[in-house]
Amino acid sequence: RKEVEQDPGPFNVPEGATVAFNCTYSNSASQSFFWYRQDCRKEPKLLMSVYSSGNEDGRFTAQLNRASQYISLLIRDSKLSDSATYLCIISNFGNEKLTFGTGTRLTIIP
Amino acid sequence: NAGVTQTPKFRVLKTGQSMTLLCAQDMNHEYMYWYRQDPGMGLRLIHYSVGEGTTAKGEVPDGYNVSRLKKQNFLLGLESAAPSQTSVYFCASRTIGTSQYEQYFGPGTRLTVT
């Protein structure tokens, strides 16, 4: 089993819709969780960190489920500019390395 | 504040040629990383450094060497390029801290080996 797994998609979603995707991880000792966004041929950029209590930033909501070992990202009222690949990234406490998912590709359709 | 910069942005090499990719960061970050990204493979760690003068192997280190002579610079070398090293290379850096695991990425270097 891969350390971090994501559905590669693509998710094709109409503008204005709500979309959600998950990322599962295998190491129960994982401590830090992030969602990064990567646009085509660009570098990954931090979208949001994922906290135990869940967190929201505008139209984006991230959740952590430790019992089932997954994190989720919910995007409400999706915009054309949300089209990108969303990377799930996980780190273990004290570990200087991060583990990356392969990404979920999202396309918002006008 | 330029963040993380990479030089060059594009390069085409012939098999057997050598080259060095330069990564520079102006955020005084302790940790620096080199990744490669291939279609369907995600980002894979090549080498990383936890401080000036130290380097360590990542997931796919073969065929690459690195050096961190200055805190702000992290060099990735290909001694004898192979077509399998055709990829997009990203450098990243981050600071130390229990909650500061966010990595900042450079814009990438697109390398083609023919």
Side-chain angles (χ1 to χ4, degrees):
Chain A
R1 182 183 175 186
K2 289 183 181 178
E3 283 193 72
V4 178
E5 291 198 72
Q6 292 183 254
D7 182 342
F11 285 60
N12 298 316
V13 174
E15 191 175 6
T18 296
V19 60
F21 26 84
N22 293 339
C23 167
T24 60
Y25 60 95
S26 60
N27 188 343
S28 59
S30 297
Q31 292 286 333
S32 299
F33 308 88
F34 305 90
W35 283 106
Y36 273 66
R37 170 195 170 125
Q38 186 173 24
D39 294 294
C40 187
R41 302 177 70 81
K42 300 277 191 177
E43 72 272 25
K45 292 185 178 178
L46 179 68
L47 178 64
M48 55 198 308
S49 302
V50 187
Y51 303 118
S52 297
S53 56
N55 46 306
E56 187 174 312
D57 183 3
R59 298 182 293 108
F60 298 85
T61 301
Q63 298 275 355
L64 167 63
N65 186 317
R66 285 196 182 273
S68 300
Q69 294 185 203
Y70 72 88
I71 64 172
S72 63
L73 180 67
L74 178 81
I75 306 174
R76 289 181 298 278
D77 187 24
S78 53
K79 312 289 185 192
L80 296 176
S81 57
D82 294 333
S83 296
T85 296
Y86 291 83
L87 303 173
C88 164
I89 298 176
I90 289 170
S91 176
N92 301 326
F93 184 77
N95 190 339
E96 58 272 9
K97 295 184 286 185
L98 302 181
T99 303
F100 291 78
T102 54
T104 296
R105 187 172 163 195
L106 173 66
T107 300
I108 305 302
I109 303 166
Chain B
N1 188 336
V4 181
T5 58
Q6 292 183 231
T7 309
K9 289 186 169 52
F10 303 92
R11 186 72 185 269
V12 178
L13 287 180
K14 294 185 177 178
T15 298
Q17 287 185 319
S18 63
M19 78 164 294
T20 300
L21 282 67
L22 170 64
C23 175
Q25 52 95 4
D26 61 3
M27 297 174 283
N28 202 34
H29 284 171
E30 290 79 11
Y31 293 177
M32 296 187 75
Y33 306 80
W34 275 108
Y35 298 93
R36 61 177 289 173
Q37 187 174 37
D38 303 292
M41 298 291 290
L43 282 143
R44 292 183 292 169
L45 182 64
I46 304 171
H47 286 279
Y48 64 101
S49 168
V50 300
E52 182 178 322
T54 70
T55 62
K57 293 181 179 179
E59 183 185 352
V60 289
D62 294 342
Y64 305 95
N65 57 76
V66 288
S67 64
R68 182 108 181 259
L69 299 179
K70 293 183 179 180
K71 186 177 183 179
Q72 63 268 32
N73 295 338
F74 194 28
L75 278 63
L76 178 71
L78 285 75
E79 291 185 346
S80 179
S84 61
Q85 293 177 306
T86 294
S87 187
V88 180
Y89 292 85
F90 288 104
C91 175
S93 72
R94 74 167 177 87
T95 189
I96 296 175
T98 56
S99 62
Q100 297 298 321
Y101 283 93
E102 177 186 355
Q103 290 196 349
Y104 295 83
F105 287 84
T109 295
R110 282 158 183 78
L111 174 66
T112 301
V113 183
T114 61

